[in-house]
Amino acid sequence: MIKALRMIALVLFAFFFVFAGIAHFAQGDGFAAMLPLWIPFRLELVYVTGLLEILLAVLLIWPSTRKQARFWTVVYLIVIFPANIYAAIAGIPAPGQEEANQTLLWVRLLFQPLLIWWVYWAAKPKDSMTK
């Protein structure tokens, strides 16, 4: 039962990550706005991170690459967290939004640890699936 639940959670996470990666291309300017102006090549960085999210999602689904993808997805989620903090402090609207809702910007920060836990739990190696 737990094994099936983990697989469902993993597939949902991967789907979410693919969707988020595609959003980097569809709403590139909105994601670039979440980065401080002193960061060079902001739009290009958004596109690279979009590709990275799609790649990580695929690698999470593939059993032979899942363990490494799990590690790098957690690292990635930690590395991009400062962009969300910056957006909350600066009051930058979420990509695709016209106005910033300050409450939602701060609440969104609470979801990053949840995403980290989600992928960490769902992509556990087979030998630890019984726990």
Side-chain angles (χ1 to χ4, degrees):
M1 179 67 174
I2 294 291
K3 187 176 177 181
L5 188 58
R6 283 185 198 268
M7 187 51 65
I8 292 167
L10 183 62
V11 170
L12 286 173
F13 184 91
F15 176 77
F16 166 76
F17 237 44
V18 167
F19 180 77
I22 292 169
H24 280 68
F25 294 94
Q27 301 291 334
D29 291 332
F31 281 96
M34 294 175 64
L35 300 172
L37 294 175
W38 56 265
I39 294 179
F41 307 107
R42 294 179 324 158
L43 187 58
E44 291 81 358
L45 185 58
V46 167
Y47 292 152
V48 168
T49 57
L51 284 174
L52 185 57
E53 289 182 11
I54 294 167
L55 177 63
L56 286 169
V58 170
L59 294 174
L60 282 167
I61 297 299
W62 202 269
S64 64
T65 57
R66 187 170 298 144
K67 184 177 178 182
Q68 287 295 327
R70 173 190 187 218
F71 172 80
W72 288 111
T73 303
V74 168
V75 168
Y76 173 78
L77 289 168
I78 292 168
V79 168
I80 65 165
F81 191 58
N84 292 334
I85 295 171
Y86 174 76
I89 292 170
I92 298 167
Q97 302 295 313
E98 296 295 321
E99 295 181 23
N101 179 322
Q102 279 303 131
T103 303
L104 289 179
L105 288 173
W106 288 100
V107 168
R108 180 174 67 180
L109 297 178
L110 300 174
F111 285 95
Q112 200 79 5
L114 178 62
L115 289 175
I116 292 167
W117 172 84
W118 182 1
V119 71
Y120 186 80
W121 178 80
K124 271 194 173 184
K126 276 186 177 181
D127 55 358
S128 63
M129 285 287 198
T130 57
K131 296 180 182 174

